[in-house]
Amino acid sequence: AGTISSLQRQLEIQESQLRRTTSEKETLQRKLREHENQLQAMSAKICSLSEEREHEEMMVAIEKENCSLRQVVTEQESKLAEQNKLISELQGTVSQLQAEVLSNQQHIHKQQQAQQEIQSRAEALQHRELQTRVALERITSRFERYRSKIIQATFSTAGSKPPQAEVTDEEVLEAMQKIINERLEFHQMLKQKGIK
């Protein structure tokens, strides 16, 4: 009985130690879970901070790239404005040249028309000149025949000497005037004598 009682006390002591140890174990497990939770929270926070830092670094890099891109865009816009200005100037120059070309074409067309008119007039004048020359040659030929007949009639009258050389128009006129004057004198003399 003494042994059993001793064993029961030891058992109770052991059970008490077991309960205490179990309680301590549960406490330790709870603290361990709390520490694990804290550790996970710290890890998450550290991870979040790392991500935020990486994000900040990425944002800084993106901002730098954006700044560089904005500078490139500004330069491109400036170049584009210059190109647009140059294009506008070139378009104005092209329009002016087109207007000058059109004006020159109209001027050339007018000159061609005027040249055609002048050429047509020149051809008409040449034709008239040819006709005039033909008519002049005919008139000259008729005049020469008529002059020859006048000379022949003038110097074939009684008392006239035939010319020894070529007779000028003045000499022919003088000879004809002399004949006319003689006929007038002869006519006056006949009238004075009453002869018809």
Side-chain angles (χ1 to χ4, degrees):
T3 302
I4 291 171
S5 177
S6 177
L7 289 173
Q8 285 180 344
R9 278 198 305 274
Q10 288 181 1
L11 180 61
E12 290 176 356
I13 292 170
Q14 291 294 325
E15 286 178 351
S16 176
Q17 287 180 353
L18 178 61
R19 285 193 297 272
R20 188 169 58 249
T21 303
T22 302
S23 177
E24 289 177 357
K25 178 185 175 183
E26 290 176 354
T27 302
L28 287 173
Q29 286 179 345
R30 187 177 63 253
K31 288 182 179 180
L32 180 61
R33 284 194 297 271
E34 289 177 357
H35 286 312
E36 287 178 353
N37 291 333
Q38 289 177 359
L39 183 61
Q40 288 179 356
M42 290 294 292
S43 297
K45 188 173 182 180
I46 290 171
C47 183
S48 177
L49 288 173
S50 298
E51 289 179 355
E52 288 180 0
R53 185 173 181 180
E54 290 178 358
H55 181 69
E56 288 178 358
E57 291 177 354
M58 187 181 297
M59 289 302 293
V60 170
I62 291 172
E63 185 63 29
K64 287 181 179 180
E65 187 175 356
N66 286 339
C67 182
S68 177
L69 288 175
R70 281 194 294 269
Q71 185 176 359
V72 172
V73 168
T74 302
E75 292 176 357
Q76 293 296 326
E77 287 177 347
S78 177
K79 290 181 180 179
L80 182 61
E82 291 178 358
Q83 292 293 329
N84 288 333
K85 182 179 179 182
L86 180 60
I87 288 171
S88 178
E89 291 176 355
L90 290 175
Q91 286 177 345
T93 304
V94 168
S95 299
Q96 183 179 357
L97 290 175
Q98 286 177 346
E100 290 179 2
V101 167
L102 181 61
S103 177
N104 289 332
Q105 287 178 346
Q106 292 176 350
H107 184 65
I108 290 172
H109 183 64
K110 290 181 180 179
Q111 285 184 340
Q112 288 177 346
Q113 287 182 341
Q115 185 176 0
Q116 289 178 354
E117 291 179 359
I118 292 172
Q119 185 174 359
S120 177
R121 291 179 181 178
E123 291 175 356
L125 288 174
Q126 288 177 353
H127 183 67
R128 289 181 62 186
E129 181 185 4
L130 180 61
Q131 290 179 339
T132 304
R133 286 182 179 179
V134 172
L136 181 62
E137 289 178 357
R138 290 178 182 175
I139 293 172
T140 303
S141 177
R142 290 178 61 186
F143 176 75
E144 290 296 331
R145 289 197 300 271
Y146 182 67
R147 185 173 181 276
S148 177
K149 289 181 180 179
I150 291 175
I151 293 172
Q152 184 178 1
T154 301
F155 291 97
S156 64
T157 56
S160 297
K161 294 181 180 180
Q164 301 297 325
E166 186 176 356
V167 182
T168 63
D169 293 340
E170 289 78 9
E171 292 175 346
V172 174
L173 288 174
E174 289 178 358
M176 288 181 66
Q177 190 65 44
K178 183 179 179 182
I179 293 170
I180 292 169
N181 292 333
E182 289 177 352
R183 291 189 64 183
L184 287 173
E185 291 176 357
F186 182 69
H187 185 263
Q188 289 295 330
M189 185 182 66
L190 290 177
K191 282 179 69 177
Q192 289 176 358
K193 293 183 177 181
I195 300 173
K196 294 184 181 181

